[in-house]
Amino acid sequence: MKSDELFALLRRRGVLWPTAEIYGGAQGLYDYGPLGARLKRRIEEAWTTWFLGLSNDYYLIDPAEILPEAVVRASGHLENFTDPEVVCDACHSAFRADTVLEKIRPDGVDGLTAAEIAAIVHANRVHCPHCGSSELSVPPPFNLMFGLDYGVTGHERAYLRPETAQSSYLAFARMWDVGRHALPLGIAVVGKAYRNEIAPRQVLFRLRAFTQAELQIFFDPRGLPVPFDAVREERLPVLRVPRREAGEESPEWVTAAELVGKGNLPEFYVYHMVHTFRFFRDVLRYPGDRIRFFEKSDTERAFYNRIQFDIEVHVESLAGYKELGAVHYRGDYDLTRHGQGAGKDFTVTLTGGTRVLPHVLELTFGVDRNVWATADLLIAKDGERTVWRLPPYLAPVAVGVFPLIPKEHGSEAVRIANDLAAHGIPVGYDDTGTIGKRYARMDEAGTPFCVTVDGGTVGTGPEHGTVTLRERDGRTQSRWPVGELAGRIAPALLLPWPARA
RNA sequence: GCGGGCAUAGUGUAGUCUGGUCAUCACAUAGGCUUGCCAAGCCUAUAACCCGGGUUCAAAUCCCGGUGCCCGCACCA
């Protein structure tokens, strides 16, 4: 489906809609409705269950969304958040200042103010690379963070966090003590981050307020031990830099062992690529052939990353591969910076007395983008029928309960619905329209099971006390005693765990 | 941010060029009849010209501003 069509469907069904819609909306902000809120929460829970399931030493924390200025100064976000730009007043093209001035200032323009850069531009009579005009100007730096007047006087500066990762770095010292004074130590955060994006676009793909799920794994720089043998034969779809430079868009399927051997990547890194891939393919149930690991080159990589593969998924609605997560080897950049910023030393002493500054492997996941991706990848048109093939454990409503004839079977159906709900199963009750219409509504909402109460259920014949259980994907129907329903449905709602060696 | 395009019920649309009927059609939604396990049929109801200003006897239609969306460029630390 095209983006517009998919968004119309999601809006109509109450999955999501623009924030402040009645005032005309607000760029880059969306609200989740009943279906969307549940789906998003289930995706977050699936992520948490899977990635915390990788180790007993990985923990979820829930830190504040506001960061004092000292934090973002140390992290580099205050100065590095945006590269200074030069814009052409004649043709309105914009360029990175360091690119335009690379011959004049080969060392770049870091640390210069807009006025200083403008002075260099004019002193050297720099012309627009696009149209040749000399009318270049340098706008004041635009920081992508939302600044806050913090405290009563408003003189203290604070910022909405631009990424959740910083919260984990801030927590490291405390978590070292709370934990067992051992590495590896994983700190996960699922929460909102905020960026004042210049051009929010593509619905959930460029938001000004968005939800990230990130796991920071702190490990001994001499090595992060992983049970690599358990994954060495797993094939991953990988698009590395040389292949990209040859103009290829499609990934190659290579084994984990080859990525380590010929590919020259660390075992711990590839091991986490495998589990990330399995999460997308086996938990979210995205088709494996839509997924690729996209290696970032030296120039594309964020400055703090030593190795960076984005995990990208091909979505039809946006006609291309979109980044839905990433695996970042950040080295000791973050603890070093916060050590300097806070005037502390985050070196830790391991058993045996060795002192190390931990390195960080970051697994990051965009929750909102994956809400969209589940819709894009898992909604299928089947003739007139629209079916959202969500895995049962992600479905906002697990089971729809219908009376075949509301007047005759309604009270029994309500009783059954209440009973299932009491077992912790999310239930939707519907007694309007024809039975086919109710099935269709549930298909569209991703509900995997429907239970229909009919004359047999309430009658005295052999079908007394049994109902029809209809499954979304195969449209198969089977007859079940009411008392066995919860036991039949509940196992399908359990979130998958990663296989541990 | 820049350039181009677009904006009509819940959804998709007709009408806009060429101003003039208290705005078309379908689906969806709600109620009724009928049917009774996969969006059937009939009847009824609800429901819209993005916001603000201007031109005009008259604006969904023309003009200006704003907001939002789409595409391209730039950006995505």
Side-chain angles (χ1 to χ4, degrees):
Chain A
M1 260 188 269
K2 299 299 294 177
S3 179
D4 285 353
E5 189 188 353
L6 188 57
F7 184 47
L9 169 65
L10 297 177
R11 197 171 32 190
R12 178 166 54 78
R13 289 307 309 250
V15 177
L16 65 120
W17 54 75
T19 296
E21 205 178 4
I22 60 169
Y23 286 96
Q27 266 188 55
L29 299 175
Y30 291 87
D31 294 351
Y32 289 97
L35 291 182
R38 264 207 78 90
L39 171 61
K40 176 168 178 271
R41 187 159 292 191
R42 290 306 285 168
I43 290 174
E44 291 168 3
E45 287 167 359
W47 183 91
T48 307
T49 301
W50 184 262
F51 286 100
L52 295 196
L54 290 173
S55 165
N56 291 327
D57 300 310
Y58 295 173
Y59 304 92
L60 181 70
I61 63 171
D62 186 6
E65 295 179 8
I66 294 175
L67 298 174
E69 186 170 64
V71 173
V72 293
R73 181 176 289 125
S75 69
H77 287 94
L78 206 49
E79 52 177 315
N80 273 320
F81 208 72
T82 287
D83 295 308
E85 278 194 353
V86 174
V87 297
C88 173
D89 295 327
C91 73
H92 302 295
S93 300
F95 310 92
R96 285 171 56 148
D98 56 354
T99 309
V100 173
L101 298 177
E102 61 186 344
K103 289 188 180 134
I104 297 156
R105 296 199 46 113
D107 296 336
V109 296
D110 284 357
L112 299 182
T113 65
E116 286 165 340
I117 294 170
I120 296 167
V121 168
H122 292 125
N124 291 280
R125 296 168 177 274
V126 176
H127 291 255
C128 171
H130 181 247
C131 72
S133 162
S134 61
E135 297 176 45
L136 296 179
S137 62
V138 182
F142 178 69
N143 195 288
L144 289 175
M145 284 190 295
F146 287 102
L148 302 171
D149 294 327
Y150 188 70
V152 179
T153 61
H155 293 152
E156 299 164 68
R157 291 297 287 172
Y159 296 84
L160 292 175
R161 64 182 176 197
E163 62 176 15
T164 59
Q166 294 308 319
S167 301
S168 292
Y169 308 136
L170 299 178
F172 173 74
R174 172 66 58 190
M175 288 295 293
W176 177 254
D177 284 336
V178 170
R180 300 179 190 143
H181 286 213
L183 297 176
L185 171 67
I187 304 177
V189 175
V190 178
K192 285 268 207 281
Y194 303 86
R195 297 179 193 178
N196 198 4
E197 294 284 359
I198 296 168
R201 218 173 259 194
Q202 297 185 317
V203 198
L204 299 182
F205 277 78
R206 187 92 66 93
L207 295 168
R208 289 193 168 133
F210 57 103
T211 302
Q212 294 184 304
E214 299 192 306
L215 170 63
Q216 313 295 322
I217 303 166
F218 298 85
F219 63 97
D220 184 338
R222 294 170 303 171
L224 169 57
V226 292
F228 189 73
D229 282 342
V231 304
R232 64 183 309 116
E233 296 308 321
E234 179 97 12
R235 288 190 177 273
L236 298 178
V238 178
L239 183 56
R240 300 206 65 171
V241 170
R243 186 174 164 87
R244 286 182 50 205
E245 288 172 347
E248 272 295 338
E249 284 276 300
S250 62
E252 290 182 287
W253 289 82
V254 293
T255 64
E258 287 167 336
L259 283 172
V260 171
K262 276 191 299 190
N264 206 27
L265 294 171
E267 282 191 356
F268 76 83
Y269 190 88
V270 175
Y271 175 82
H272 286 90
M273 288 172 80
V274 169
H275 282 290
T276 300
F277 179 68
R278 288 179 179 173
F279 180 71
F280 279 85
R281 184 194 58 189
D282 301 340
V283 181
L284 299 179
R285 304 254 182 99
Y286 298 166
D289 59 9
R290 295 288 198 97
I291 305 171
R292 74 180 184 190
F293 280 98
F294 186 89
E295 185 179 23
K296 291 298 185 83
S297 70
D298 292 349
T299 51
E300 294 165 330
R301 215 154 49 211
F303 58 88
Y304 46 70
N305 280 329
R306 301 186 182 192
I307 308 174
Q308 175 177 349
F309 283 77
D310 289 346
I311 186 157
E312 298 189 326
V313 175
H314 189 97
V315 285
E316 184 188 346
S317 56
L318 302 172
Y321 284 95
K322 304 300 288 185
E323 177 194 346
L324 298 187
V327 183
H328 297 153
Y329 178 24
R330 298 176 69 128
D332 60 6
Y333 174 81
D334 304 284
L335 289 185
T336 300
R337 291 292 297 231
H338 284 301
Q340 291 164 352
K344 295 192 164 57
D345 181 3
F346 295 121
T347 302
V348 296
T349 305
L350 301 175
T351 309
T354 312
R355 292 178 59 77
V356 299
L357 184 61
H359 280 198
V360 169
L361 178 68
E362 173 185 57
L363 307 182
T364 175
F365 177 80
V367 176
D368 310 278
R369 290 176 169 194
N370 279 281
V371 169
W372 183 268
T374 61
D376 180 281
L377 295 165
L378 302 179
I379 292 179
K381 287 270 182 73
D382 176 7
E384 220 187 332
R385 214 165 66 109
T386 302
V387 191
W388 198 349
R389 296 186 195 277
L390 285 170
Y393 46 78
L394 295 184
V397 176
V399 54
V401 178
F402 317 138
L404 187 60
I405 304 171
K407 277 182 228 154
E408 296 174 25
H409 315 131
S411 57
E412 179 64 6
V414 167
R415 205 189 59 75
I416 292 170
N418 290 343
D419 182 58
L420 290 173
H423 281 83
I425 297 171
V427 176
Y429 182 81
D430 190 355
D431 61 5
T432 62
T434 62
I435 193 75
K437 200 171 265 191
R438 292 180 236 162
Y439 285 144
R441 272 197 284 256
M442 286 296 170
D443 286 342
E444 198 176 61
T447 304
F449 303 106
C450 291
V451 165
T452 301
V453 178
D454 59 18
T457 316
V458 299
T460 52
E463 293 189 328
H464 171 75
T466 66
V467 292
T468 302
L469 180 68
R470 180 261 196 187
E471 297 188 45
R472 176 194 66 204
D473 293 341
R475 293 214 276 177
T476 55
Q477 297 192 340
S478 53
R479 200 87 199 172
W480 290 77
V482 171
E484 294 178 22
L485 279 177
R488 167 74 180 77
I489 294 168
L493 308 184
L494 294 175
L495 291 164
W497 284 69
R500 281 201 217 169

